[in-house]
Structures are given as structure tokens and as C-alpha cells.
Amino acid sequence: MEDIEDLLVGSGGAPPGFRLPLNAVGVNPRKKNKAKPSKVSQMNDPPKIPGTQTIYVKTFGCSHNQSDSEYMAGQLSAFGYAISDNPEEGDLWLINTCTVKNPSQSAMNTLITKCKSAKKPLVVAGCVPQGSRDLKELEGVSIVGVQQIDRVVEVVEETLKGHEVRLLNRKTLPALDLPKVRKNKFVEILPINVGCLGACTYCKTKHARGHLGSYTVDSLVERVKTVIADGVREIWLSSEDTGAYGRDIGVNLPILLNAIVAELPPDGSTMLRIGMTNPPFILEHLKEIAAVLCHPCVYSFLHVPVQSGSDAVLTAMNREYTVSEFRTVVDTLTELVPGMQIATDIICGFPGETDEDFSQTVNLIKEYKFSQVHISQFYPRPGTPAARMKKVPSTIVKNRSRELTSVFEAFTPYNGMEGKVERIWITEIATDGIHLVLIVAPETILGTSAIVKITSVGRWSVFGEVLETLPQVNVKMAPDKVSNQEKHSPCSNQYESCACSKEPEPCSCGPDICGGQIKLDKCTVSKNDSPMENRASKNPIHWFIRKRRNHAQKKVENDNALGIENEQDWAPGGWGFVDRALLVGIFVSFLMIVAVIMHLEFRTLLSK
């Protein structure tokens, strides 16, 4: 079937939220071999009113795909459709696909087969139909292209009527202010651009997402303002390559980052996470990006794929950088950003990879001991140059993947954190028990920040006790206030956790090992307050002293930062006038209460 163009001449389609009539959308009525239902069956099973059905949404792939699904779910929900993650409940299935790896596409094929067997209406979106529109599995299926997600309501409605609809032509970027149903209400996945400037020989994504197309700085800043007002606590910048942002419209990533950071609440209640960036496009902006990563409201985390530790393999991949340049990125950011965490990707068994090439990759990972490594076996993607290259035998590829995984799993990135006090951001409930900090706390703590004492560590997890929740407080001490021990810890200072967030697609090496994503373990949620908070509430004198001490410490730090000498340390002999007056007031009040009680007891005795 040929791709069907929009039929509204000169209009560019309908505005978001406006339903087009049937003749305004390219459709192909499906041929039905079965006999027409009888009048009796039609009366007993009347058609549902459009907009009242339930849509099952399934997403494969990266955070950009997740954002697209949230936008499509938002538009469908705005028109009255119910959104479900249970396939049995769905009157129609909407599958958003990923073409990066064979397993993702195989899972898509299995789901499509299951949907067809259940005789459910089906709409397929995402990179697979956009990049491989002639796949046999997509025959007779309605399709929404990656730049047509603002038309999903029309496609769904026509598909429910029995029509096949295909919208694959690329056009202007979808608006950022479309309705959205976030999978996590505290996390906004914000696409800053689509496509990329690279030409990697193994990559199929560019076939789908195309050449670089960036949103304007103003439109992204407006979106940031909107989601902060909505109560979002984390903003993830997402794209196929964030480092390439703006090169098509005359700006660059540091310009965007500084504009966004200027809109973030200074109390750290909403944090920014910068998405994946390839080395070539940040080399010239390393110092500017490092300055942004040092900002109190930006996680000190960056995902920089290296893919191989061999220059020969990188050349065959057409990655457009060398291992030395990758080292420059890692070394510079690590030097300039306290507590910097870098995640990377490795492809094992790329065509032509020798034992020596692989040994260089292993040595690179051992040297840097990255806390998060995505390890993949090479998968030839149809239509890419690498698919035509001579393959490494599959047994060797699997052995190399296992060896590198064993090397990575031998790292102990969280050792030495016991007893440390860190600031964390709590945005969702964890159920798999593998994320960095797991805490026992009531569910009401979601969407807040907290001071946590690390009580124990494991290979994949750190466990902590909540000392204090912080709805709104200042973050990050000045760099010169961070001790050497704190600088070498996974976090920048005693009141800041590291910065990493889990991608919707898990790491191929097993559990996601994020440098600092904070989760709430649902299995250990307690409806009671933490023991520390209970003890503080039962002893008001201790509570008062702790609060005054914190206040004094902050004042000393602020004075030192301003160059003001202050010789008074926090000690009973160094209390100021206000401290003494408050304590005297508490003591006098206590004496008055005792006197009143004694007076009442004396009067009671006299009355007898």
C-alpha cells in the first residue's frame, strides 16, 4: 500500500484537538472476507460511541519514545478515551516501537501477532514503521509516523471504524504544548530535537527519525515553565543526540541549558537531567557544559556512549571521534564537576572486531570503572552498511558480552558510602530493588526531597534512613566547602545525591545501575514517620538545639563565602543574645507551668 498523504490541501492538517471528517484523512477500508453480521447481531452488539473506548498503550525503546507515547495518550485522553496498560482491557492497541535492536523489534512482532489473533484494532507508531514501512508484519495495520503523533486521535477513530490509516510523511515538529499523560507525574521527558547529524554504519534510528530538527529555545523554555507549574520534580532532556542540539537553527546546547536553568526554582525542588550526547558535538563546549552540570539544580550526570575502546572499530562504525577524544570528554567533566557520574554504551562483536580491539574496550572500562554501562551484542539492522559487513561468529560475540559484563559487575561503586548524609530526590516507587537509594517512608514523601543517611550498601543498591524531608531548601555548597572525601564520593556534597535517571529501556547487561536515581521501595513503605523524626518530635529541646545549630552553621558558611570573618563556633559559650534569650524564655515558661500545676494541686488539697 502506498503512503497516504494528508488530503487537506494547503491546510497542513487539522489543528491539535480538532477532529477531521473521514474524507479529510487518507484511509483504506479493510477488506472483510467474513459474511456481514445479521441484523439481530447488530442490534445486540451496537457500536460504541467514538471516544468512549479503552486504548492499550505499549512503548518500546528510549525516553524519546516514552515522551511520544505520553503525548499520544494525552490527546486520546483529552477526547474521552481511557488509557490502560492492560492489553485485555483495550478495545484498540497502540504500540510505539523501537528499531535500535533486534529484540525490541521481535517483541513488537510478537505483540502484533497476539493483537491480530485477538482480533483487536491495531495502530503501530514509532521508529519501526517509519524506518521500515514495507515490513510484512505491518500489512493491514494503521500507522502513525514519528512526526505525526499529533494526528493520533484521527488515526485511532478511523481504525476503530475498520479503516486502515497510514500517516508517515515528515512535516513540522509536533507542538510541545499538546496534552500529555505522563507515566510518572513527577517526571517530564522533554524532547529538544529529533534526528541527528551522525551517520553511524550500524544505526537504523536515523532512517526513522531523519536529519536533525531542533525545537527553538523559546518553545522549550515555555514548556519548562509550564511543567514546573504543573508540579514536575524532574525534567529529562531527551533526543537522539542532545549534543547536536541547535546546529540546524543557529544555536547550541549550552545556550539552551543556560536558558532552561534560569527558569528552575532555586530551591532545587525541580531538577534537570541532560540526556545522551555523543562525543563529537560536545568537545567544543566541554567547559560550558561542565559549568551547567555544576549548577545546584542540575544532576551531575551525563550519558556519553563510547561503543568501543578501539579506534579501528570506531572508524568502521563511522563514529567521528577517537578513543582519545572520548577520554578528553570524561577527564574534563570529571575534573571540573564535583561528583561527576558518566554512563556509557558498548557494542560487543561489531563486524571486524578482533581480540585486540575487544581487549582495548575491556581495559577502557576497567580504567574508568563507569558506574553504569549498557552492554549490547551487535545486531545487524536491515538497510544499514554494517549489515553487509562480515560478521564476527555469534559464539565469540556472546563470550565477549559475558566477559565484559563480568568485568563490570565486579565493580563496587557504592563502597564507602555507609554513614554518609546525602540529599535525594524522590520521584517514584521502586519495585525491583536495584536502584541507588531505597528508603522506608510513607508514600506521601513522593515528589519531595530529603536528607538521608546511608545505612548500608550493596552491588546494585544503597539503603538509607530519612533524617528530614525538604520540600524547599537550598542545595549544593560552594565547591570550596566540599571536603576531599566528599569530592571523591559518588555525590558532590553531603546534601546532594548523584544525578542519573533510569531509561525506560533496561540496560542490556542486566539491572540499570544509575549513578544516583532515587526511588522509593514500595515493598518497604511504612505509614509511620522515620525513627529520627519521632525522636525529634518527642524532645523539643533537642529539636530546638538542632535547628539553631543548623542555622548557625549556615550563617557561618554564608559569612565565609562572603569573606566575613567569624570566630564564634557553635558551642554553648559562643551563643549569641538571641540564642540565650530564647533559652531563658523556654526555661521561664517551664517554671511558670510548674508553678501553676503546684498552685492548682495546693488549692485542691485545701478544698478537701
Side-chain angles (χ1 to χ4, degrees), residues 337-396:
V337 183
M340 183 67 198
Q341 294 288 304
I342 294 178
T344 195
D345 299 347
I346 297 292
I347 296 176
C348 293
F350 188 82
E353 182 185 64
T354 65
D355 289 341
E356 175 59 26
D357 293 329
F358 178 68
S359 177
Q360 293 176 23
T361 299
V362 172
N363 291 336
L364 181 71
I365 299 303
K366 284 182 176 179
E367 177 182 350
Y368 284 99
K369 291 183 170 60
F370 300 104
S371 60
Q372 183 178 356
V373 181
H374 301 152
I375 302 171
S376 301
Q377 299 175 30
F378 170 74
Y379 296 104
R381 306 302 296 136
T384 62
R388 299 189 295 271
M389 298 178 183
K390 185 177 180 180
K391 300 177 183 61
V392 176
S394 60
T395 53
I396 295 178

Side-chain angles (χ1 to χ4, degrees), residues 188-241:
E188 167 72 9
I189 304 173
L190 180 60
I192 63 174
N193 55 265
V194 300
C196 67
L197 294 175
C200 300
T201 56
Y202 58 84
C203 184
K204 184 79 172 176
T205 303
K206 189 165 185 177
H207 294 199
R209 294 284 183 180
H211 198 65
L212 181 67
S214 303
Y215 287 95
T216 66
V217 173
D218 289 343
S219 64
L220 291 166
V221 169
E222 285 303 314
R223 181 64 183 174
V224 167
K225 292 178 181 178
T226 299
V227 301
I228 290 175
D230 288 344
V232 160
R233 293 293 176 251
E234 287 186 8
I235 299 173
W236 301 357
L237 302 187
S238 178
S239 76
E240 284 63 58
D241 186 354

Side-chain angles (χ1 to χ4, degrees), residues 250-282:
V251 293
N252 57 45
L253 183 60
I255 291 174
L256 172 66
L257 294 179
N258 285 310
I260 290 177
V261 164
E263 301 299 332
L264 298 177
D267 61 5
S269 56
T270 299
M271 299 293 292
L272 179 69
R273 174 189 183 272
I274 304 173
M276 187 276 289
T277 177
N278 288 309
F281 303 112
I282 62 169

